[in-house]
Amino acid sequence: MNPAPATTPTSTPAPGDDLQSVVEALRGARRQWREAHRRGGDGRELPSRELLAAMIQGLSGALFPMRLGPPTLRPEDEDFYVGHTLGAAMTTLRHQAALELRHDARQRGDDTPGQDADELVGRFLRTLPGVRVLLDSDVLAAYQGDPAARSVDEVLLCYPGLRALISHRLAHELYKLGLPLIARVVAELAHAETGIDIHPGARIGSGCFIDHGTGVVIGETAVIGERVRIYQNVTLGAKSFPTDGDGNLVKGQARHPIVEDEAVIYAGATVLGRVTIGRGAVIGGNVWLTRSVAPGSLVTQADSLAGTT
């Protein structure tokens, strides 16, 4: 018995027809979005995640050349490597900053950016020695605070909390200079890599130790003092989001916790609102806290559930 001849269904469109119709539909969606949001569509308008990721990798190497720089780097070549790497990173930042500044100007309906990219890049470059000093204090805090840490080099190479703090301290400087979009991209790249979500606006003092780190969330207006220790799954978040008369969120208000020097916040704790955790206070695991805590206090889960903070 001969098999039936193969046939091609006449009702199925050719793949090329589907592709062309999708391309046209996507063009229409892009046009509609750009018209609604005043986008020109005449070239790259926003900073590049890929270029910024490479820039942060380069800056990390320049800050710690013999640890995070290229594996073939020799001590006698450190200064040359640092200078070359910083030059390349600043060129990238200059181009990306110009994109953000032009985008901001268009959003305001202006033709001229309010700040000069070259000036911002120069100011950022001059912050790097101070950033290195802060990161040295973070490395020491992790080494001294974790009995499993065998060396400061292990902390620098292995600890996600330190990786997140490198990105945060760089992102925070960019945020302060008026490049919040670039800063946020840098922060989110670190978030994707480490599971630690720190808004670039958060202010973090020296000697910070984020132990384990996965699931840590630190909001934009949080203020963290010196020598603070934070464990995994801790949230320093907002309790509520005020709105204006039209129901739109009011942005920029202080809405996240203040954590004073030498406080410890254990795993799973959630601290919400503009409350203050006093100096040296200890917040136990899984505590839910929406009110201030006096210096030196010990708050356990039972305390927080009973409202006796």
Side-chain angles (χ1 to χ4, degrees):
M1 181 175 183
N2 294 326
T7 59
T8 302
T10 57
S11 60
T12 303
D17 295 336
D18 278 347
L19 181 61
Q20 184 60 33
S21 66
V22 171
V23 169
E24 292 173 356
L26 289 173
R27 184 196 314 133
R30 293 196 305 272
R31 183 185 302 116
Q32 182 179 12
W33 174 268
R34 287 168 180 167
E35 290 173 354
H37 296 272
R38 296 182 300 177
R39 301 292 174 80
D42 55 354
R44 183 87 191 200
E45 296 184 347
L46 296 171
S48 163
R49 286 174 61 94
E50 293 77 13
L51 291 177
L52 291 173
M55 181 190 79
I56 292 301
Q57 182 177 1
L59 288 173
S60 299
L63 288 168
F64 298 96
M66 298 306 295
R67 303 297 185 273
L68 303 181
T72 57
L73 183 64
R74 298 171 61 86
E76 59 267 28
D77 298 327
E78 269 190 298
D79 284 348
F80 176 82
Y81 163 76
V82 169
H84 175 78
T85 303
L86 287 179
M90 293 307 99
T91 297
T92 297
L93 181 58
R94 185 175 297 108
H95 293 157
Q96 300 304 297
L99 287 172
E100 177 170 350
L101 294 172
R102 285 199 297 268
H103 174 263
D104 286 347
R106 283 192 295 268
Q107 294 296 100
R108 298 191 307 269
D110 295 338
D111 294 328
T112 305
Q115 299 190 79
D116 179 70
D118 287 341
E119 179 186 351
L120 293 183
V121 168
R123 289 164 58 189
F124 174 76
L125 179 64
R126 291 190 290 273
T127 70
L128 295 181
V131 169
R132 166 68 201 238
V133 171
L134 279 173
L135 289 170
D136 285 344
S137 75
D138 299 331
V139 171
L140 284 174
Y143 173 67
Q144 294 168 353
D146 185 1
R150 296 180 179 274
S151 69
V152 292
D153 300 314
E154 179 184 356
V155 169
L156 190 56
L157 291 173
C158 304
Y159 280 40
L162 200 283
R163 174 69 260 174
L165 283 169
I166 291 174
S167 290
H168 173 72
R169 298 213 183 272
L170 294 170
H172 185 63
E173 296 300 332
L174 294 166
Y175 181 91
K176 291 192 298 181
L177 287 172
L179 296 171
L181 179 56
I182 290 176
R184 190 63 185 270
V185 171
V186 171
E188 291 305 325
L189 289 168
H191 180 196
E193 179 184 351
T194 66
I196 299 169
D197 182 0
I198 310 176
H199 192 284
R203 292 157 50 193
I204 301 180
S206 63
C208 182
F209 178 26
I210 301 176
D211 198 0
H212 303 293
T214 303
V216 165
V217 177
I218 301 175
E220 178 184 20
T221 63
V223 179
I224 298 175
E226 298 182 352
R227 300 175 299 282
V228 169
R229 188 185 311 172
I230 298 172
Y231 287 82
Q232 67 270 22
N233 291 315
V234 164
T235 296
L236 302 179
K239 182 180 179 182
S240 61
F241 302 96
T243 58
D244 60 21
D246 297 323
N248 300 312
L249 288 179
V250 177
K251 299 179 183 291
Q253 292 187 349
R255 59 196 183 277
H256 299 101
I258 298 171
V259 182
E260 295 184 344
D261 297 352
E262 299 174 352
V264 179
I265 307 177
Y266 280 101
T270 299
V271 186
L272 301 181
R274 194 61 164 184
V275 300
T276 298
I277 306 302
R279 182 185 181 105
V282 176
I283 310 302
N286 298 315
V287 163
W288 178 276
L289 196 60
T290 58
R291 62 190 71 182
S292 294
V293 171
S297 299
L298 169 62
V299 182
T300 66
Q301 189 178 19
D303 295 330
S304 64
L305 291 175
T308 58
T309 58

